[in-house]
Amino acid sequence: EAQVTQNPRYLITVTGKKLTVTCSQNMNHEYMSWYRQDPGLGLRQIYYSMNVEVTDKGDVPEGYKVSRKEKRNFPLILESPSPNQTSLYFCASSFRGVRGVRTEAFFGQGTRLTVV
Amino acid sequence: GESVGLHLPTLSVQEGDNSIINCAYSNSASDYFIWYKQESGKGPQFIIDIRSNMDKRQGQRVTVLLNKTVKHLSLQIAATQPGDSAVYFCAENAGSNSGYALNFGKGTSLLVTP
């Protein structure tokens, strides 16, 4: 089954304790992205990757890191989490279509992170 | 940067009626648009997409209309069912300057009543 898998689904952590949220896709997609979803703000892109070893900042990259060492994996790293990073996080992947235009993104089930 | 917006944050319809969810976009360079459905506790799920060289596209019970002149996008759901209750997002392709990222609207909550 084609899917994007995130882990963990739920995480409660303390301020400053480094954490990693994993994301894996089995569709051989070039593009992968991380979004955070907050009430009233919708989905905002954190980082994206156009292919292996190619990553770039989205709209809200502060406090986050990513890596793309393999095509299927795109982990999100919070080196020193803070309470304002409490949010619902989604990983997404998609093919690169004609002229580099994105096709529809497939989303994971989400990771609900609480930083206390 | 430019953004995608929605006209109505909530929409309540009766089961069996047709639903129309609207979206305005401001980036004239956008050439690809997608509608997503998000049910409670789940990730956004693709419904239908449309490219800027089209003004209408139909799927199963859903139709997307694109009016480039006024930068307006709509999603029509025919014979709305209780299972259609969810939040609906429109998204636009932000173009090459943003790595062809998708910009999402804030969402419209659709509530289907019996």
Side-chain angles (χ1 to χ4, degrees):
Chain A
E1 181 188 354
Q3 59 186 2
V4 178
T5 303
Q6 294 177 230
N7 279 296
R9 291 290 310 278
Y10 302 92
L11 179 60
I12 301 175
T13 190
V14 296
T15 298
K17 185 176 181 181
K18 180 180 178 179
L19 67 90
T20 299
V21 184
T22 64
C23 174
S24 180
Q25 50 93 5
N26 62 359
M27 295 168 279
N28 201 37
H29 286 164
E30 295 92 355
Y31 284 94
M32 297 187 75
S33 316
W34 276 102
Y35 294 86
R36 60 178 289 174
Q37 186 174 37
D38 302 289
L41 297 176
L43 283 154
R44 295 178 294 167
Q45 191 179 59
I46 303 170
Y47 266 94
Y48 63 92
S49 170
M50 300 173 94
N51 215 324
V52 175
E53 301 291 1
V54 181
T55 63
D56 211 340
K57 297 177 180 179
D59 295 325
V60 288
E62 293 77 21
Y64 304 95
K65 285 175 57 176
V66 293
S67 68
R68 188 90 182 275
K69 293 183 170 53
E70 305 165 280
K71 198 171 187 178
R72 63 182 292 128
N73 296 321
F74 190 45
L76 179 70
I77 303 156
L78 284 73
E79 294 273 3
S80 182
S82 63
N84 65 11
Q85 293 178 296
T86 293
S87 187
L88 180 58
Y89 292 86
F90 288 102
C91 179
S93 72
S94 63
F95 280 117
R96 186 180 68 179
V98 174
R99 293 186 289 112
V101 173
R102 289 269 300 275
T103 58
E104 76 273 15
F106 293 81
F107 283 81
Q109 288 291 80
T111 296
R112 185 165 292 281
L113 172 66
T114 302
V115 184
V116 298
Chain B
E2 297 180 51
S3 63
V4 177
L6 290 167
H7 292 312
L8 296 173
T10 58
L11 178 64
S12 182
V13 299
Q14 281 200 309
E15 182 177 357
D17 287 351
N18 296 334
S19 303
I20 299 176
I21 301 172
N22 296 304
C23 177
Y25 66 95
S26 55
N27 187 347
S28 57
S30 297
D31 60 1
Y32 179 57
F33 305 87
I34 309 174
W35 280 99
Y36 286 93
K37 173 186 180 183
Q38 186 176 22
E39 297 175 279
S40 181
K42 297 184 178 181
Q45 179 183 7
F46 170 85
I47 302 173
I48 192 167
D49 59 4
I50 189 167
R51 300 201 182 273
S52 59
N53 60 353
M54 304 172 70
D55 53 21
K56 181 179 180 179
R57 190 159 189 230
Q58 289 184 288
Q60 187 176 11
R61 284 200 307 119
V62 294
T63 301
V64 55
L65 299 177
L66 175 63
N67 186 331
K68 295 181 286 293
T69 301
V70 295
K71 298 193 189 76
H72 184 268
L73 192 70
S74 69
L75 176 71
Q76 300 177 1
I77 305 174
T80 314
Q81 303 168 359
D84 294 328
S85 291
V87 176
Y88 290 80
F89 294 95
C90 64
E92 62 169 342
N93 183 325
S96 60
N97 288 341
S98 302
Y100 299 101
L102 291 174
N103 285 336
F104 285 84
K106 291 184 172 49
T108 292
S109 178
L110 176 65
L111 177 64
V112 182
T113 57

